[in-house]
């Protein structure tokens, strides 16, 4: 980083491991930085793009922060005043190598990058767009934003995120519309039935607690027989009751 971009771009970072993280086997990192350019040149086009993405993200993790000026631009046009809020990059830092794209368009809009403006600069009018906006509901999940929420709530592990999404797709509980995950009629019916009849299980806290208990079993801090009994005894009673009473 120092030899290619200069000393101000280097920042030796240390990252704290999340509680109960099992992420050593999830790491995909370049194993030879010195030979990386030769390696990239020897790869097929798609492999080059993938390797470069991994290489740049890894290097960016050891680079300086980007510095922005939060900026408000006021434009006077006769009797009207127009305002633009956004950011101007003063130092690109890690963004020299890697800029993470946003799945949520609203987030992109909130973080507009503005060009440099000078006070009293004359601006050329190219077009006027007349647009009315209304409050919109939250955006539907994408695979990336769903994984982010699962990670925040302690549901699953890095190795289980993709299989979880594949399972609900394969069972037609959701379908993809462009990049968004949209519940199907079947998914909504199943979800309603589960919420009405298995409230203790259809709960993010249950899933996160179960993950923690499984970790404790792996570390010999919890008895798997006791944990299974605590779960299974009330569950089987609930299941038998639902089988008798649930609408078909």
């Amino acid at each position: 980083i120092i030899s290619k971009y200069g000393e101000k771009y280097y920042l030796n970072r240390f990252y704290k491991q999340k509680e109960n993280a099992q992420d050593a086997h999830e790491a995909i990192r370049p194993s030879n930085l010195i030979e990386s350019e030769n390696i990239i040149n020897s790869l097929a086009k798609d492999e080059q793009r993938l390797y470069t993405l991994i290489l740049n993200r890894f290097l960016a993790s050891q680079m300086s922060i980007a510095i922005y000026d939060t900026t408000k631009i006021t434009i006077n046009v006769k009797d009207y005043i127009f305002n633009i809020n956004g950011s101007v990059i003063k130092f690109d830092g890690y963004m020299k190598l890697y800029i993470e794209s946003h799945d949520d368009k609203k987030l992109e809009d909130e973080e507009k990058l503005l060009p440099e403006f000078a006070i009293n600069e004359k601006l050329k009018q190219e077009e006027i767009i007349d647009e009315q906006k209304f409050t919109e509901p939250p955006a539907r999940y994408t695979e990336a934003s769903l994984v982010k929420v699962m990670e925040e709530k302690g549901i699953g592990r890095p190795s289980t995120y993709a299989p979880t999404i594949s399972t609900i797709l394969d069972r037609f509980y959701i379908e993809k519309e462009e990049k968004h995950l949209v519940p199907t009629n079947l998914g909504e019916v199943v979800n309603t039935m589960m919420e009405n009849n298995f409230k203790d299980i259809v709960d993010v806290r249950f899933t996160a607690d179960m993950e923690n208990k499984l970790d404790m079993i792996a570390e010999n801090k919890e008895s798997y027989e006791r944990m299974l009994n605590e779960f299974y005894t009330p569950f089987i009673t609930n299941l038998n009751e639902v089988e008798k009473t649930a609408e078909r």
Side-chain angles (χ1 to χ4, degrees), residues 56-165:
N56 287 352
R57 179 147 191 171
F58 172 74
L59 288 172
S61 73
Q62 295 296 309
M63 293 179 73
S64 303
I65 60 171
I67 299 173
Y68 300 82
D69 274 352
T70 301
T71 308
K72 179 179 180 180
I73 308 295
T74 301
I75 304 168
N76 296 311
V77 183
K78 294 182 180 177
D79 296 329
Y80 299 96
I81 295 176
F82 297 89
N83 292 318
I84 308 172
N85 294 307
S87 302
V88 175
I89 295 180
K90 289 300 180 184
F91 174 62
D92 52 2
Y94 73 92
M95 294 172 66
K96 176 77 91 177
L97 271 184
Y98 185 83
I99 300 175
E100 187 166 3
S101 62
H102 298 303
D103 289 290
D104 189 341
K105 192 173 185 307
K106 289 179 184 174
L107 191 59
E108 287 180 348
D109 291 340
E110 288 170 6
E111 297 184 358
K112 285 179 182 168
L113 295 178
L114 301 176
E116 291 277 2
F117 284 90
I119 295 174
N120 297 324
E121 180 180 348
K122 300 289 186 185
L123 302 180
K124 178 185 174 185
Q125 177 192 309
E126 293 194 344
E127 65 176 317
I128 295 177
I129 300 171
D130 185 12
E131 187 178 27
Q132 185 176 17
K133 291 192 174 182
F134 298 92
T135 303
E136 295 179 351
R140 290 202 179 277
Y141 287 122
T142 61
E143 289 191 36
S145 61
L146 181 58
V147 166
K148 186 176 180 181
V149 171
M150 291 169 67
E151 190 177 17
E152 287 171 356
K153 295 186 179 296
I155 299 171
R157 294 288 182 263
S159 57
T160 64
Y161 295 148
T164 299
I165 294 171

Side-chain angles (χ1 to χ4, degrees), residues 153-157 200-214:
K153 295 186 179 296
I155 299 171
R157 294 288 182 263
D200 292 340
I201 295 174
V202 187
D203 183 284
V204 291
R205 288 170 299 180
F206 169 83
T207 311
D209 288 346
M210 181 64 75
E211 295 277 359
N212 291 333
K213 287 177 181 176
L214 292 172

Side-chain angles (χ1 to χ4, degrees), residues 136-199:
E136 295 179 351
R140 290 202 179 277
Y141 287 122
T142 61
E143 289 191 36
S145 61
L146 181 58
V147 166
K148 186 176 180 181
V149 171
M150 291 169 67
E151 190 177 17
E152 287 171 356
K153 295 186 179 296
I155 299 171
R157 294 288 182 263
S159 57
T160 64
Y161 295 148
T164 299
I165 294 171
S166 296
T167 298
I168 55 178
L169 277 166
D170 292 343
R171 294 181 182 175
F172 304 106
Y173 295 155
I174 60 170
E175 57 191 4
K176 280 189 181 179
E177 288 185 6
E178 295 179 348
K179 61 182 180 180
H180 293 100
L181 306 176
V182 180
T184 61
N185 288 336
L186 174 62
E188 290 186 358
V189 168
V190 170
N191 187 65
T192 300
M193 189 275 288
M194 292 291 289
E195 282 189 327
N196 290 342
N197 295 288
F198 299 99
K199 289 179 181 174

